[in-house]
Amino acid sequence: MTAAVAVIGTGTAAGWGRHRLGRLVAEQTPERAWFHVHPPHHDLWGAREPVVCDAQLLDCFAAGLRAELPVVVSAAPPKPDGPTQRSYAGLAALSRPSGRILVGVHPADAARVPFAAAGCGLLSRAVPGLPTGAREVHGEVAVEALPGWMVGTDASGEPVTVNLPPGATVLVCGAGAAEVVSTVAVTGRTVGSVAGADVA
């Protein structure tokens, strides 16, 4: 009985600690506009290597922003919602990034973020807020490209993915189109032509 209570107490304390850490990040960075940043793919079939976000890249970003250094936060990838997205996420687990890198800037500087990011070889997309469990990061961190879109397997059973370059448009047709399109959210892309956003 004592061991069970100790395990439950430890689990509760760990959960509360993660919740408190997420709240601390939010409290320490009030009134921020948040952007998911990632490097663009260069071509359809070649996956992009991560970009190292270090002090030099942040200085470049701040110079393009004409403002102070942004707050850099690590967050989990978008969560699958429903069986189709869960299936996609499971199949694409090897190519999915382990997390997303978000930058927080003062709202007055938000309009310059896409240009500052482009000057550092990154794309940026506004997100509605700081995700639960986000953690502020310091030092070097890998900024990964969005995962490729799985289109099947090759003769040896390896997954074949399409890595969408910036501005790529994918037209999904056929009876199963709605189910395929429902997996877009798991990749971190958006549906439709939205100015300044990745289009899938």
Side-chain angles (χ1 to χ4, degrees), residues 37-42 46-54 57 94-99 101 120-122 140-147:
V37 294
H38 58 90
H41 287 292
H42 296 309
R48 174 70 189 269
E49 292 295 319
V51 170
V52 176
C53 178
D54 55 12
L57 187 139
L94 292 176
S95 63
R96 287 183 81 214
S98 56
I101 298 301
C120 300
L122 300 172
E140 293 185 358
V141 62
V143 183
E144 299 182 65
L146 292 177

Coordinates of all heavy atoms in Angstrom, one line a residue, residues 37-42 46-54 57 94-99 101 120-122 140-147:
V37 N 8.6 28.1 -36.6 CA 9.6 28.3 -37.6 C 10.2 27.0 -38.0 O 10.4 26.0 -37.2 CB 10.8 29.3 -37.1 CG1 10.2 30.7 -36.9 CG2 11.4 28.7 -35.9
H38 N 10.5 26.8 -39.3 CA 11.1 25.6 -39.8 C 11.8 25.9 -41.2 O 11.4 26.8 -41.9 CB 10.0 24.5 -40.0 CG 8.9 24.9 -40.9 ND1 9.0 24.7 -42.3 CD2 7.8 25.6 -40.7 CE1 7.9 25.2 -42.9 NE2 7.1 25.7 -41.9
P39 N 12.8 25.1 -41.5 CA 13.5 25.3 -42.8 C 12.6 24.7 -43.9 O 11.9 23.8 -43.7 CB 14.8 24.5 -42.7 CG 14.5 23.5 -41.6 CD 13.5 24.1 -40.7
P40 N 12.7 25.3 -45.1 CA 11.9 24.8 -46.2 C 12.6 23.6 -46.9 O 13.9 23.5 -46.9 CB 11.9 26.0 -47.2 CG 13.2 26.7 -46.9 CD 13.5 26.5 -45.5
H41 N 11.8 22.7 -47.5 CA 12.4 21.7 -48.3 C 12.8 22.3 -49.6 O 12.2 23.2 -50.1 CB 11.3 20.6 -48.6 CG 11.1 19.7 -47.4 ND1 12.0 18.9 -46.8 CD2 10.0 19.6 -46.6 CE1 11.5 18.3 -45.8 NE2 10.3 18.7 -45.6
H42 N 13.9 21.7 -50.2 CA 14.4 22.2 -51.5 C 13.8 21.5 -52.7 O 13.7 22.1 -53.8 CB 15.9 22.1 -51.6 CG 16.7 22.9 -50.5 ND1 16.4 24.2 -50.4 CD2 17.6 22.5 -49.6 CE1 17.2 24.7 -49.4 NE2 18.0 23.7 -48.9
G46 N 13.9 15.0 -51.8 CA 15.0 15.0 -50.8 C 14.6 15.7 -49.5 O 14.2 16.9 -49.5
A47 N 14.7 15.0 -48.4 CA 14.4 15.5 -47.1 C 15.4 16.6 -46.7 O 16.6 16.4 -47.0 CB 14.3 14.4 -46.1
R48 N 15.0 17.6 -46.0 CA 15.9 18.7 -45.6 C 16.6 18.4 -44.3 O 15.9 18.0 -43.4 CB 15.1 20.0 -45.6 CG 15.8 21.2 -45.0 CD 16.9 21.7 -46.0 NE 17.7 22.7 -45.4 CZ 17.5 24.0 -45.5 NH1 16.4 24.5 -46.1 NH2 18.3 24.9 -44.9
E49 N 17.8 18.7 -44.2 CA 18.5 18.6 -42.9 C 18.1 19.7 -42.0 O 17.7 20.8 -42.4 CB 20.1 18.7 -43.2 CG 20.6 17.5 -43.9 CD 20.5 16.2 -43.2 OE1 20.7 16.2 -41.9 OE2 20.2 15.2 -43.8
P50 N 18.1 19.4 -40.7 CA 17.8 20.5 -39.7 C 18.7 21.7 -39.8 O 19.9 21.5 -40.2 CB 17.9 19.8 -38.3 CG 17.8 18.3 -38.6 CD 18.4 18.1 -40.0
V51 N 18.2 22.8 -39.4 CA 19.1 24.0 -39.2 C 19.4 24.2 -37.7 O 18.5 24.0 -36.9 CB 18.3 25.2 -39.8 CG1 19.0 26.5 -39.4 CG2 18.1 25.1 -41.3
V52 N 20.6 24.5 -37.4 CA 21.0 24.7 -36.0 C 20.6 26.1 -35.6 O 21.1 27.1 -36.2 CB 22.4 24.4 -35.8 CG1 22.8 24.7 -34.3 CG2 22.8 23.0 -36.1
C53 N 19.8 26.3 -34.6 CA 19.4 27.6 -34.1 C 20.4 27.8 -32.9 O 20.3 27.2 -31.9 CB 18.0 27.6 -33.6 SG 17.5 29.2 -32.8
D54 N 21.3 28.8 -33.1 CA 22.3 29.1 -32.1 C 22.3 30.6 -31.9 O 21.4 31.3 -32.5 CB 23.7 28.6 -32.5 CG 24.1 29.0 -33.9 OD1 23.5 30.0 -34.5 OD2 25.1 28.5 -34.4
L57 N 22.4 32.6 -35.3 CA 21.1 32.6 -36.0 C 20.1 33.6 -35.3 O 19.4 34.4 -35.9 CB 20.5 31.3 -36.1 CG 19.3 31.2 -37.0 CD1 19.3 29.9 -37.9 CD2 18.0 31.1 -36.2
L94 N 8.8 7.7 -38.3 CA 10.2 7.8 -38.5 C 10.6 9.2 -39.1 O 11.7 9.6 -38.9 CB 10.7 6.7 -39.4 CG 10.6 5.3 -38.8 CD1 11.0 4.2 -39.8 CD2 11.5 5.2 -37.6
S95 N 9.7 9.8 -39.9 CA 10.0 11.0 -40.5 C 9.5 12.3 -39.8 O 9.8 13.4 -40.1 CB 9.6 11.1 -42.0 OG 8.2 11.0 -42.0
R96 N 8.7 12.0 -38.8 CA 8.1 13.2 -38.0 C 9.1 13.8 -37.1 O 9.9 13.1 -36.5 CB 6.9 12.7 -37.2 CG 5.7 12.4 -38.0 CD 4.5 12.1 -37.1 NE 3.9 13.3 -36.6 CZ 3.4 13.4 -35.3 NH1 3.4 12.4 -34.5 NH2 2.8 14.5 -35.0
P97 N 9.2 15.1 -37.0 CA 10.1 15.7 -36.1 C 9.7 15.4 -34.7 O 8.5 15.2 -34.4 CB 10.0 17.2 -36.4 CG 8.7 17.4 -37.1 CD 8.4 16.1 -37.8
S98 N 10.7 15.4 -33.8 CA 10.4 15.1 -32.4 C 9.7 16.3 -31.7 O 9.1 16.1 -30.6 CB 11.7 14.8 -31.6 OG 12.6 15.9 -31.8
G99 N 9.8 17.4 -32.3 CA 9.1 18.6 -31.7 C 9.1 19.8 -32.7 O 9.7 19.7 -33.8
I101 N 9.8 24.1 -33.1 CA 10.5 25.2 -32.5 C 9.6 26.4 -32.8 O 9.2 26.7 -33.9 CB 11.9 25.4 -33.0 CG1 12.8 24.2 -32.7 CG2 12.5 26.7 -32.5 CD1 12.9 23.9 -31.3
C120 N 17.0 34.3 -42.4 CA 17.8 33.2 -41.7 C 17.6 31.8 -42.4 O 18.0 30.8 -41.9 CB 17.3 33.1 -40.2 SG 17.6 34.6 -39.3
G121 N 16.9 31.8 -43.5 CA 16.7 30.6 -44.3 C 15.5 29.8 -43.7 O 15.5 28.5 -43.8
L122 N 14.6 30.4 -43.0 CA 13.5 29.7 -42.4 C 12.2 30.2 -42.9 O 12.0 31.3 -43.4 CB 13.5 29.9 -40.8 CG 14.8 29.4 -40.1 CD1 14.8 29.8 -38.6 CD2 14.9 27.9 -40.2
E140 N 22.1 25.8 -28.3 CA 21.8 25.3 -29.7 C 20.6 24.4 -29.6 O 20.5 23.6 -28.7 CB 23.0 24.6 -30.2 CG 24.2 25.5 -30.5 CD 25.3 24.8 -31.2 OE1 25.2 23.6 -31.4 OE2 26.3 25.5 -31.5
V141 N 19.8 24.5 -30.7 CA 18.6 23.6 -30.8 C 18.4 23.3 -32.3 O 18.6 24.2 -33.1 CB 17.4 24.1 -30.1 CG1 16.9 25.4 -30.8 CG2 16.2 23.1 -30.2
A142 N 18.0 22.1 -32.7 CA 17.8 21.8 -34.1 C 16.4 22.2 -34.5 O 15.4 21.9 -33.8 CB 18.0 20.3 -34.3
V143 N 16.3 22.9 -35.6 CA 15.0 23.3 -36.2 C 14.8 22.5 -37.4 O 15.5 22.5 -38.4 CB 15.0 24.8 -36.6 CG1 13.7 25.3 -37.1 CG2 15.5 25.7 -35.4
E144 N 13.8 21.6 -37.3 CA 13.5 20.6 -38.3 C 12.5 21.0 -39.3 O 11.5 21.8 -39.0 CB 13.1 19.3 -37.7 CG 14.2 18.7 -36.7 CD 13.8 17.4 -36.1 OE1 13.6 16.4 -36.9 OE2 13.6 17.3 -34.9
A145 N 12.6 20.6 -40.5 CA 11.6 20.8 -41.6 C 10.3 20.1 -41.3 O 10.3 19.1 -40.5 CB 12.2 20.4 -43.0
L146 N 9.3 20.5 -41.9 CA 8.0 19.8 -41.7 C 8.2 18.4 -42.4 O 8.9 18.2 -43.3 CB 6.9 20.5 -42.5 CG 6.4 21.8 -41.8 CD1 5.4 22.5 -42.7 CD2 6.0 21.7 -40.4
P147 N 7.5 17.4 -41.8 CA 7.7 16.0 -42.3 C 7.1 15.9 -43.7 O 6.2 16.6 -44.1 CB 6.9 15.2 -41.3 CG 5.9 16.1 -40.7 CD 6.5 17.4 -40.7

